[in-house]
Amino acid sequence: LARATWPFEAKHAPRSQIVDAVCDLSVQLLNLANVTPSAVVGAAMGVPAPVEQETRRVGLQSGIPAIVGDGLEAEISERLGMPFMLENDANLSVLAEWTAGAAEGHSDAIYIEVSEGIGAGLILSGRLHRGAHVRPGRSATHRSSRTARSVAAETAVAWSCWPARAPSPTRSANNSPHG
């Protein structure tokens, strides 16, 4: 319907500036698409952090300290006058690829994202998997000193079935996830 970009450095911005930027860009997109907020079922935004499904709390692993904690979804939803949801950015990316991209038509997909950290979104048998600890593909221990812009590289891979006897791509022979 519409596309807009808004250069904004969120990493060190206070929460109020982030909320203002998200709401202003959302209103701009609605105006460009000639859509009223009442016609929108809901909106979502990807964040570089795990989001706890029960509490909607943004996890501490975020590279944007001001978004960590509770209440961000509710604050933006109230300002926009529509349902608003936060989700891990790699999870939203795999859902997008699975719905209308490289993984369309496949029951399983993985999206690997490399920026300031390494993350992954995973769809198995047509369902998004978040993992036992909210972040199945997130490597919070790997951080780059460079900005996300300078190291951003994203790729999507889809497969129709993983061979039953093939070794897991995340486990080595000693069952360690790191080799």
Side-chain angles (χ1 to χ4, degrees):
L1 294 172
R3 183 182 182 128
T5 59
W6 191 329
F8 180 73
E9 184 58 51
K11 188 168 189 163
H12 301 293
R15 188 175 180 130
S16 61
Q17 278 186 344
I18 293 169
V19 170
D20 287 346
V22 169
C23 293
D24 291 347
L25 183 58
S26 298
V27 168
Q28 180 184 359
L29 283 168
L30 290 170
N31 289 337
L32 286 170
N34 199 27
V35 174
T36 62
S38 62
V40 177
V41 174
M45 179 177 81
V47 294
V51 178
E52 295 175 17
Q53 295 306 295
E54 295 80 28
T55 64
R56 308 307 304 154
R57 179 178 177 76
V58 177
L60 294 173
Q61 297 84 353
S62 176
I64 306 172
I67 68 170
V68 171
D70 299 319
L72 185 59
E73 276 184 346
E75 189 174 348
I76 294 171
S77 180
E78 184 177 322
R79 285 266 308 268
L80 291 176
M82 69 178 72
F84 187 85
M85 182 178 159
L86 297 173
E87 180 57 79
N88 173 269
D89 52 0
N91 286 347
L92 282 183
S93 295
V94 76
L95 285 169
E97 292 295 340
W98 183 68
T99 302
E104 186 176 9
H106 295 273
S107 61
D108 304 315
I110 185 170
Y111 183 96
I112 300 169
E113 181 175 321
V114 179
S115 62
E116 288 188 25
I118 299 171
L122 180 64
I123 291 178
L124 294 174
S125 300
R127 296 188 63 201
L128 178 66
H129 286 262
R130 290 184 173 89
H133 301 287
V134 183
R135 52 189 193 277
R138 186 121 179 112
S139 174
T141 58
H142 173 75
R143 292 284 182 207
S144 170
S145 61
R146 297 185 295 171
T147 65
R149 264 187 230 139
S150 68
V151 296
E154 299 174 351
T155 186
V157 179
W159 67 92
S160 54
C161 94
W162 188 261
R165 285 183 274 195
S168 167
T170 59
R171 299 265 179 205
S172 66
N174 67 3
N175 206 30
S176 166
H178 304 292

